[in-house]
Amino acid sequence: MVDRTSGVPAYRQIADDLRSQIESGQLAPGSPLPSERDLVETYDASRPTIREAVKLLRNSGLVVAQHGRGVFVRSHNLVTRLARTRLSRSARAENKGAFMGDAAAGDFVPNVSVEVRVEAADERIADLLNIRPGAEVLVRDRVMRADNVVAQLAVSRLPRDLTQGTVIEDVDTGPGGVYARLEDSGHVLDHFDVFVSARMPTVEEKSLLQLAEGSPVMAVTRVANTADRPVEVNDIVLDANRYELHYQLAAD
């Protein structure tokens, strides 16, 4: 019940009470928040007040909204990324490369939505792919969810001369993904260059990842190369609260 005489806004009192339930485990990670109707009845408050309380919890990173399903207590389980083996041919052959490999290691249910388009390469992409600025590149824009919560954003760009007329330009590229299809076409991967940094998210990234105020993201740029040329630039944005990067490096 809200104390109308305390001088503390009702929505803050409600948010504080729900926060206490989350921190005590009464509302467990991954569990749904009570419905708006139930919260109105529980706290004897208006719907706008309840919405402000839930908004405060979302801005604090304690809950996440899932479209069409409701609001859930955020799970704080880390997704560990093993950077040496997840891009191997053997992992791709088992359909455990990249995000699918993260899912197998982290025991979560993966879901990936894909948008495919063609655009002109800007100077940065042209430099990384060793093509001329303005040349066509295929763009594969992906939103990746772990147990229905957005955990990663990834945008791959490939020279169009490698992808035109291939299933790489389809939403579903088949087992092993883009890298397997590149190798099917004779473009055998030789090595990857990976650049990792931390930064503050864009407005769109903050919204998609449902980040708390002030939360940074990990930004990873991965360039896939054959022995002759770079064939893909993948810009990945990770929720820093959900990921840790684990590197296994040979000592020789």
Side-chain angles (χ1 to χ4, degrees):
M1 187 68 68
V2 172
D3 182 354
R4 311 288 180 185
T5 65
S6 68
V8 178
Y11 76 93
R12 288 192 175 275
Q13 293 184 52
I14 295 167
D16 286 345
D17 187 59
L18 291 170
R19 181 194 302 269
S20 295
Q21 294 181 49
I22 291 170
E23 291 175 348
S24 69
Q26 185 177 344
L27 287 171
S31 67
L33 212 62
S35 69
E36 186 176 281
R37 176 183 297 177
D38 288 342
L39 291 173
V40 165
E41 294 179 359
T42 298
Y43 293 103
D44 189 23
S46 67
R47 288 182 181 271
T49 297
I50 294 300
R51 289 169 188 160
E52 283 298 310
V54 173
K55 180 181 178 181
L56 190 58
L57 294 176
R58 288 182 63 182
N59 287 341
S60 299
L62 293 173
V63 301
V64 293
Q66 297 181 18
H67 183 67
R69 299 187 67 228
V71 180
F72 293 78
V73 178
R74 182 185 287 273
S75 171
H76 292 288
N77 293 335
L78 285 174
V79 177
T80 300
R81 169 160 295 187
L82 184 58
R84 184 180 178 215
T85 60
R86 63 192 298 276
L87 297 173
S88 66
R89 289 185 182 88
S90 60
R92 296 200 303 273
E94 297 175 9
N95 206 30
K96 291 183 179 179
F99 191 62
M100 295 305 177
D102 294 343
D107 193 27
F108 63 81
V109 177
N111 177 267
V112 181
S113 56
V114 184
E115 175 190 315
V116 181
R117 63 181 184 273
V118 173
E119 67 182 26
D122 62 21
E123 289 190 8
R124 171 179 170 269
I125 295 299
D127 182 59
L128 289 171
L129 287 176
N130 195 25
I131 58 178
R132 63 175 178 79
E136 282 192 341
V137 290
L138 181 80
V139 182
R140 297 183 59 84
D141 195 341
R142 301 172 316 280
V143 177
M144 302 176 177
R145 295 172 174 84
D147 291 336
N148 290 314
V149 176
V150 177
Q152 174 180 327
L153 310 173
V155 182
S156 292
R157 293 177 172 87
L158 301 94
R160 189 86 194 285
D161 65 286
L162 299 183
T163 68
Q164 195 163 16
T166 75
V167 295
I168 295 173
E169 300 203 348
D170 295 341
V171 169
D172 183 1
T173 57
V178 166
Y179 294 156
R181 301 294 80 75
L182 283 169
E183 295 202 327
D184 290 346
S185 300
H187 307 291
V188 178
L189 299 179
D190 181 75
H191 66 279
F192 299 90
D193 292 310
V194 181
F195 309 87
V196 182
S197 62
R199 61 171 172 78
M200 298 308 294
T202 66
V203 172
E204 182 181 16
E205 291 165 352
K206 180 174 180 288
S207 175
L208 284 170
L209 292 167
Q210 299 192 43
L211 300 173
E213 290 293 337
S215 292
V217 293
M218 284 191 285
V220 180
T221 296
R222 185 177 71 229
V223 183
N225 301 268
T226 67
D228 302 317
R229 63 180 291 188
V231 294
E232 182 216 34
V233 174
N234 192 4
D235 287 309
I236 306 163
V237 178
L238 307 171
D239 178 351
N241 291 316
R242 290 185 60 87
Y243 273 86
E244 63 179 17
L245 300 180
H246 174 196
Y247 288 88
Q248 258 185 20
L249 303 174
D252 53 9

